[in-house]
Amino acid sequence: MRRNANSSDDSGGDPRSMDDDIVVQGVLTAIGQKRLAPGTKLGEDRLARASGTSRIHVRQALSHLASRHIVVQFPNRGAFVHRPSWKEAQDIFAARRLVEAATTGMAIDRLDARGEALIREHVAREAAHDPTDRPASLALTAEFHILIARLADNSVLFDAVKELTLRTSLAIATFETPGSLDCSPRAHPDIAGLILRRDRAAALAEMNHHIDEIEARLIPLLTKMDDDELTAIFKEIGSAAASGART
Amino acid sequence: MRRNANSSDDSGGDPRSMDDDIVVQGVLTAIGQKRLAPGTKLGEDRLARASGTSRIHVRQALSHLASRHIVVQFPNRGAFVHRPSWKEAQDIFAARRLVEAATTGMAIDRLDARGEALIREHVAREAAHDPTDRPASLALTAEFHILIARLADNSVLFDAVKELTLRTSLAIATFETPGSLDCSPRAHPDIAGLILRRDRAAALAEMNHHIDEIEARLIPLLTKMDDDELTAIFKEIGSAAASGART
DNA sequence: AGTTAATAAATTGGCGCCAATTATGGCGCC
DNA sequence: GGCGCCATAATTGGCGCCAATTTATTAACT
């Protein structure tokens, strides 16, 4: 009997071993629950002790997460939870608008009875869950978007939505304003209803609006500025001073 | 002085060490030159001897390539050059149409003098190259699409185009008809001219048509069928025989 | 007192070895 | 003659150890 690499379909990806998956899922849920802030160092020995596995699995898991842009690895310095720049966060949302508009349309095109049942089941699960539980809300949001992408029946776009969902949670953890809460899952039943009604234009517009709403909750904090932006600013001052001195 | 992980921007990704990159680039160019057919087993010891590096670098490189869907890894069996299914090839092209239409439009929006110079330089390089050199043509095609994606100034879509370009070369290696040759790079000067002229609609249409042309060169060869499709066919025969026997 | 340089501790990177699993060749059996 | 089974060989998976690099600490010096 051959064992499958990933049993649940909403798992992060395709790590080779089972112990790798433990580390990957651990880091992912820790990030999703905001127990691991962006920029945190992920020491190999520490993760190995925490996950109960060996250091080699931790390294493979970190390499896997690095390929998904969840962590960044510096040579001889270790792995850190990736802190996306403001530009990268905007890029992520622009890509989501593009890809998820496509997956929504394709999901409507290929919608059948099984797809309708899956959508209804998810809406029911969202209606029944505790709205004050932030990590659960975030996980349900990700599951909704991934479900739509699965119904689109395109493996490339499905993987893209999975990756963009993860990176979005990193962007939220980096740039979210402390005030706004639980405003996003409210829109899911609306989108689901429009999809079930095969209202293409309205579903696309609502999905775009939903992504815009998530993006609007983020603000560019200057304290979390990226190094590249900092050097760009210094270069800008330099050129401005040069032109000012010339004039 | 801090050394950069990847010096050239068109490299495959972000492998940690320099030796890993040797193996990654070696496998990539071998695939691009059709010296490694899809389905070929990539033994660790063999790759280590061939690349002159150690086995650990080979493993990290294979893990990296597996995360990019270039190779597939089976537990305790090793890594093989990924042989995309016909469905996956169609998915790749559908995703390319979506993403590259977007990158083309964004490249036109943000086009400046530097971008125009890069496009003109690439067109000149394509005009000067030997059209009978298949691997060089394929590499130039990939570089053109990646250049457009870079001008779009969206890191997520840039990475997506890089990955989709690689996967397309795998799809071509798997499904290409032997007859058709060097018909694709002909369209690049046209697309480049339309982009330079800021003709949005025509550029998008031409880019879509160009991708369609590449896809049209592929045919679903039955001999290179995927395992899943094969089992599906056997199941189909089984049910047909059962219903036939009952009737 | 601040800064620089040297030393020590901690962490990552890499290699060799051995165990576990799988592919292969040969043998006996039906 | 074909099929299934077992032993051998080859390959991958994993662990421990040591070297190389970075980081923290301490000391000396201006």
Side-chain angles (χ1 to χ4, degrees), chain A residues 98-231:
Chain A
L98 174 71
V99 173
E100 301 214 39
T103 54
T104 305
M106 293 164 69
I108 291 177
D109 290 341
R110 298 161 206 268
L111 194 61
D112 54 356
R114 209 180 107 272
E116 293 179 2
L118 286 172
I119 290 181
R120 289 210 180 85
E121 180 205 359
H122 182 87
V123 170
R125 259 206 304 160
E126 273 203 6
H129 105 289
D130 177 22
T132 64
D133 189 359
R134 282 286 306 224
S137 294
L138 215 59
L140 280 174
T141 298
E143 280 180 34
F144 176 73
H145 291 257
I146 291 174
L147 171 63
I148 302 300
R150 191 192 318 165
L151 297 180
D153 193 38
N154 183 313
S155 60
V156 178
L157 297 183
F158 178 64
D159 289 343
V161 169
K162 274 201 301 185
E163 175 171 336
L164 288 174
T165 298
L166 286 175
R167 294 176 76 172
T168 298
S169 66
L170 269 188
I172 289 175
T174 309
F175 294 111
E176 191 179 37
T177 90
S180 65
L181 288 178
D182 66 7
C183 66
S184 63
R186 205 74 54 84
H188 291 169
D190 302 340
I191 302 177
L194 292 170
I195 291 177
L196 290 176
R197 246 172 268 129
R198 267 85 168 172
D199 193 344
R200 241 190 117 90
L204 296 195
E206 190 65 23
M207 176 63 89
N208 265 327
H209 178 65
H210 172 47
I211 298 179
D212 286 339
E213 259 185 358
I214 303 179
E215 186 178 8
R217 287 159 52 191
L218 310 185
I219 55 171
L221 295 177
L222 290 184
T223 56
K224 294 181 181 174
M225 190 164 48
D226 196 64
D227 285 357
D228 295 337
E229 304 177 69
L230 191 62
T231 54

Side-chain angles (χ1 to χ4, degrees), chain A residues 16 73 87 91 153 155, chain B residues 16 73 87 91 153-155:
Chain A
R16 285 199 297 284
Q73 286 180 307
K87 172 73 168 58
D91 289 353
D153 193 38
S155 60
Chain B
R16 284 201 298 287
Q73 287 181 305
K87 172 73 168 61
D91 290 351
D153 194 36
N154 184 313
S155 60

Side-chain angles (χ1 to χ4, degrees), chain A residues 2-3 5 14 16 56 59-60 62-64 66-69 73-77 87-88 90-92 94-95 98-99 102 106 110 153-157 159 163-164 167 227, chain B residues 2-3 5 14 16 56 59-60 62-64 66-69 73-77 87-88 90-92 94-95 98-99 102-103 106 110 153-157 159 163-164 167:
Chain A
R2 185 186 298 170
R3 61 176 171 185
D14 46 0
R16 285 199 297 284
I56 199 161
R59 276 168 84 163
Q60 285 171 340
L62 289 177
S63 173
H64 186 89
S67 71
R68 293 281 172 102
H69 298 274
Q73 286 180 307
F74 299 100
N76 291 318
R77 288 197 9 169
K87 172 73 168 58
E88 183 181 339
Q90 288 179 312
D91 289 353
I92 291 170
L98 174 71
V99 173
M106 293 164 69
R110 298 161 206 268
D153 193 38
N154 183 313
S155 60
V156 178
L157 297 183
D159 289 343
E163 175 171 336
L164 288 174
R167 294 176 76 172
D227 285 357
Chain B
R2 188 187 299 170
R3 62 177 168 182
D14 47 1
R16 284 201 298 287
I56 198 162
R59 277 168 82 162
Q60 285 171 340
L62 288 177
S63 172
H64 186 92
S67 72
R68 293 279 173 103
H69 298 274
Q73 287 181 305
F74 299 100
N76 291 316
R77 288 197 7 169
K87 172 73 168 61
E88 183 181 339
Q90 287 179 312
D91 290 351
I92 290 170
L98 174 71
V99 173
T103 53
M106 292 163 71
R110 297 162 207 267
D153 194 36
N154 184 313
S155 60
V156 178
L157 298 182
D159 290 343
E163 176 170 337
L164 288 174
R167 296 175 75 171

Side-chain angles (χ1 to χ4, degrees), chain B residues 20-208:
Chain B
D20 299 3
D21 201 41
I22 293 176
V23 184
V24 170
Q25 294 299 327
V27 173
L28 253 46
T29 59
I31 291 175
Q33 296 179 359
K34 297 199 175 187
R35 313 282 300 250
L36 273 181
T40 309
K41 168 153 188 180
L42 298 172
E44 297 182 356
D45 219 340
R46 183 174 168 228
L47 279 182
R49 251 190 312 270
S51 62
T53 61
S54 184
R55 235 186 76 192
I56 198 162
H57 299 288
V58 171
R59 277 168 82 162
Q60 285 171 340
L62 288 177
S63 172
H64 186 92
L65 290 170
S67 72
R68 293 279 173 103
H69 298 274
I70 305 300
V71 308
V72 284
Q73 287 181 305
F74 299 100
N76 291 316
R77 288 197 7 169
F80 302 82
V81 179
H82 180 43
R83 171 183 298 172
S85 67
W86 181 247
K87 172 73 168 61
E88 183 181 339
Q90 287 179 312
D91 290 351
I92 290 170
F93 279 98
R96 282 195 72 163
R97 274 189 288 269
L98 174 71
V99 173
E100 301 214 37
T103 53
T104 306
M106 292 163 71
I108 292 178
D109 290 341
R110 297 162 207 267
L111 194 61
D112 55 355
R114 208 181 107 271
E116 293 180 1
L118 287 172
I119 291 180
R120 289 210 179 84
E121 180 206 0
H122 181 87
V123 171
R125 259 205 305 159
E126 272 203 7
H129 107 289
D130 178 21
T132 64
D133 189 359
R134 282 286 306 229
S137 294
L138 215 60
L140 280 173
T141 298
E143 281 180 33
F144 176 73
H145 291 257
I146 291 173
L147 171 62
I148 303 300
R150 191 191 318 164
L151 297 180
D153 194 36
N154 184 313
S155 60
V156 178
L157 298 182
F158 178 65
D159 290 343
V161 169
K162 273 202 300 185
E163 176 170 337
L164 288 174
T165 298
L166 286 175
R167 296 175 75 171
T168 298
S169 66
L170 269 189
I172 289 176
T174 309
F175 295 111
E176 190 179 38
T177 91
S180 65
L181 289 178
D182 66 10
C183 67
S184 65
R186 204 73 55 82
H188 290 169
D190 302 341
I191 303 176
L194 292 171
I195 291 176
L196 290 176
R197 246 172 269 131
R198 267 85 169 171
D199 192 343
R200 240 191 118 89
L204 295 196
E206 190 66 23
M207 176 62 89
N208 265 326

